[in-house]
């Protein structure tokens, strides 16, 4: 069991592409850390540098207080699970799980004990005599997990291990990996582009964009206190709505006014904005779809916050309404009891206790600065 530390880690390729910029990260023992971000953000590159499969350009990587910059992958005591399983088709599943231990010349008795223990944990006992081609995608991924478990590593690295599975299997395997983490009580570092996986599995999440760390925090804080506009948009589905507005004082109320309406700001949010001297300044208001209330019924032509329903998506337990508010396009997540059809005019009411504000230039949160 081990913690892990990255200090000013950079990766620059020979062609000049800077894939990872000054990554600083302190991972505690037994954490489940998730690297998440869009394609090309540097998450897999960072994982491969930790594994030793990619040489770092500058900086330091420590595993259990041991500097491993020049330590070969096989001597770092880590195990990696890949997206494509990387199983040997001519071997049985037992042989695939045992292969790495045989290369270490481990006694046969200990190899068998470790493979059987891993098979018990993952429910693979009846599949050990089969070959990978006889298994489903989910079963193959469990064999790949078992091959990592038998090594009893200090750190598990997982590079998008569920990407090749269908939606139902992803949900099932996601739960299995979370249970596995609790059972093994060791450090997991998991890479994904899927923010749902990140939010449901990670004890902390590292959000990356263009090789830069945007925010490192718990799932709850990323959702409720995004440090910048990118994190606000990337975390949450459907993504956060953004409206350009101006903060102004009217009738002794601090309001954010935007094309098509306005909303009053109160409580802690008002105090924070006042402290930062933002009255009269341009802001970007962020509001999540689930924090927009929608009222149907008669709506006057000149009504404030009057929006046109352009698309509806009924999902059973909830409905998504795609709305047009002057020049802004918004998505609202509402209860199915809200009866609105394409072409209806509705009134939107953003929840003032859940709105976010970002600087138009820097895109940083104005509530956390």
């Amino acid at each position: 069991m081990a913690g892990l530390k990255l200090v000013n880690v950079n990766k620059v390729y020979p062609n000049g592409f800077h894939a990872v910029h000054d990554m600083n990260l302190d991972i505690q023992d037994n954490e489940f850390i998730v690297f998440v971000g869009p394609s090309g953000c540097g998450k897999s590159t960072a994982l491969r540098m930790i594994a030793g499969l990619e040489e770092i350009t500058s900086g330091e990587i420590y595993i259990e207080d041991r500097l491993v910059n020049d330590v070969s992958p096989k001597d770092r005591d880590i195990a990696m699970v890949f997206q494509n399983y990387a199983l040997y088709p001519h071997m049985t599943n037992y042989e695939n799980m045992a292969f790495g231990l045989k290369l270490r010349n481990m006694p046969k008795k200990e190899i068998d004990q470790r493979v059987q223990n891993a098979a018990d944990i993952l429910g693979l006992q009846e599949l050990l005599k089969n070959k990978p081609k006889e298994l489903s995608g989910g079963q193959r991924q469990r064999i790949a997990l078992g091959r990592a478990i038998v090594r009893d590593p200090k750190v598990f690295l997982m590079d998008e291990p569920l990407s090749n599975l269908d939606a139902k299997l992803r949900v099932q395997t996601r739960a299995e990996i979370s249970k596995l983490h609790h059972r093994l009580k060791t450090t997991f570092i998991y890479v994904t582009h899927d923010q749902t996986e990140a939010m449901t599995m990670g004890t902390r999440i590292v959000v990356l964009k263009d090789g830069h760390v945007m925010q490192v925090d718990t799932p709850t804080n990323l959702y409720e206190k995004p440090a910048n506009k990118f994190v606000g948009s990337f975390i949450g589905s459907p993504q956060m709505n953004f409206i350009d507005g101006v903060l102004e004082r009217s009738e002794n109320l601090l309001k954010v006014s935007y094309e098509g309406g306005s909303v009053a700001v109160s409580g802690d949010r008002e105090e924070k904005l006042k402290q930062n001297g933002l009255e009269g300044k341009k802001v970007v208001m962020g509001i999540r779809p689930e924090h927009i209330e929608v009222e149907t019924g008669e709506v006057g032509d000149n009504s404030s916050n009057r929006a046109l329903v352009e698309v509806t998506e009924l999902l059973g337990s909830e409905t998504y309404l795609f709305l047009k508010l002057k020049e802004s396009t918004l998505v609202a997540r509402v209860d199915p009891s809200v009866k609105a059809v394409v072409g209806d005019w509705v009134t939107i009411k953003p929840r003032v206790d859940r709105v976010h504000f970002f600087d138009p230039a820097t895109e940083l949160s104005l509530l956390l600065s």
Side-chain angles (χ1 to χ4, degrees), residues 263 265 269 285-287 350-357 367:
V263 62
V265 186
R269 283 165 168 71
M285 183 177 79
I287 182 72
R351 281 187 52 184
V352 295
D353 61 328
R354 302 307 294 268
V355 293
H356 303 268
F357 296 99
L367 299 177

Side-chain angles (χ1 to χ4, degrees), residues 65-240:
D65 299 325
R66 176 195 181 196
L67 182 65
V68 297
N69 286 26
D70 299 319
V71 177
S72 67
K74 67 182 180 63
D75 296 324
R76 293 193 182 194
D77 204 5
I78 54 93
M80 194 159 179
V81 180
F82 297 91
Q83 177 181 343
N84 62 356
Y85 322 134
L87 300 176
Y88 297 106
H90 63 285
M91 294 183 180
T92 66
N93 297 319
Y94 181 101
E95 291 168 338
N96 266 286
M97 290 172 65
F99 185 69
L101 303 182
K102 288 181 179 178
L103 290 180
R104 296 183 177 188
N105 296 315
M106 189 174 286
K108 286 186 178 181
K109 186 175 181 181
E110 186 173 351
I111 290 175
D112 185 67
Q113 185 178 16
R114 289 194 181 199
V115 171
Q116 296 297 340
N117 286 343
D120 284 339
I121 290 171
L122 296 168
L124 296 171
Q125 285 287 4
E126 294 182 2
L127 303 175
L128 292 180
K129 294 180 181 179
N130 298 73
K131 291 186 176 179
K133 66 180 180 181
E134 302 172 62
L135 306 182
S136 67
Q139 290 169 331
R140 291 179 195 177
Q141 194 56 274
R142 284 193 293 170
I143 295 295
L145 284 169
R147 183 178 54 195
I149 291 170
V150 297
R151 293 183 55 188
D152 192 22
K154 291 178 179 176
V155 182
F156 282 90
L157 306 180
M158 299 188 177
D159 191 5
E160 305 214 37
L162 309 185
S163 294
N164 291 336
L165 305 182
D166 62 41
K168 184 178 179 180
L169 266 178
R170 277 203 302 272
V171 173
Q172 292 176 348
T173 312
R174 194 167 73 206
E176 286 180 7
I177 292 174
S178 293
K179 289 188 286 186
L180 184 62
H181 171 249
H182 288 294
R183 185 163 181 173
L184 298 180
K185 300 189 185 303
T186 191
T187 306
F188 278 51
I189 304 176
Y190 186 102
V191 161
T192 182
H193 64 275
D194 186 332
Q195 58 95 15
T196 301
E197 281 182 24
M199 292 290 284
T200 54
M201 299 175 75
T203 52
R204 281 194 302 156
I205 300 171
V206 181
V207 183
L208 291 154
K209 178 190 178 188
D210 298 331
H212 295 272
V213 175
M214 294 284 102
Q215 189 172 351
V216 183
D217 220 324
T218 63
T220 299
N221 281 344
L222 287 178
Y223 178 81
E224 296 183 349
K225 300 175 182 178
N228 51 60
K229 187 178 174 182
F230 176 78
V231 175
S233 66
F234 195 81
I235 300 298
S237 181
Q239 74 167 36
M240 183 182 285

Side-chain angles (χ1 to χ4, degrees), residues 12-59:
V12 183
Y13 287 98
N15 64 2
F17 177 65
H18 202 153
V20 176
H21 296 255
D22 291 321
M23 179 177 278
N24 288 281
L25 193 58
D26 198 345
I27 301 172
Q28 302 300 313
D29 181 27
N30 195 28
E31 274 202 283
F32 196 126
I33 292 285
V34 179
F35 291 172
V36 68
S39 296
C41 70
K43 54 188 184 294
S44 289
T45 301
L47 195 77
R48 289 173 65 83
M49 286 192 290
I50 292 170
L53 301 175
E54 198 83 61
E55 186 177 345
I56 70 172
T57 303
S58 63

Side-chain angles (χ1 to χ4, degrees), residues 226-227 272-273 275-276 278 357 359 362 364-369:
K272 189 66 176 179
L273 296 172
Q275 288 171 12
N276 290 337
L278 292 168
F357 296 99
D359 186 295
T362 66
L364 295 177
S365 172
L366 296 170
L367 299 177
L368 300 179
S369 57

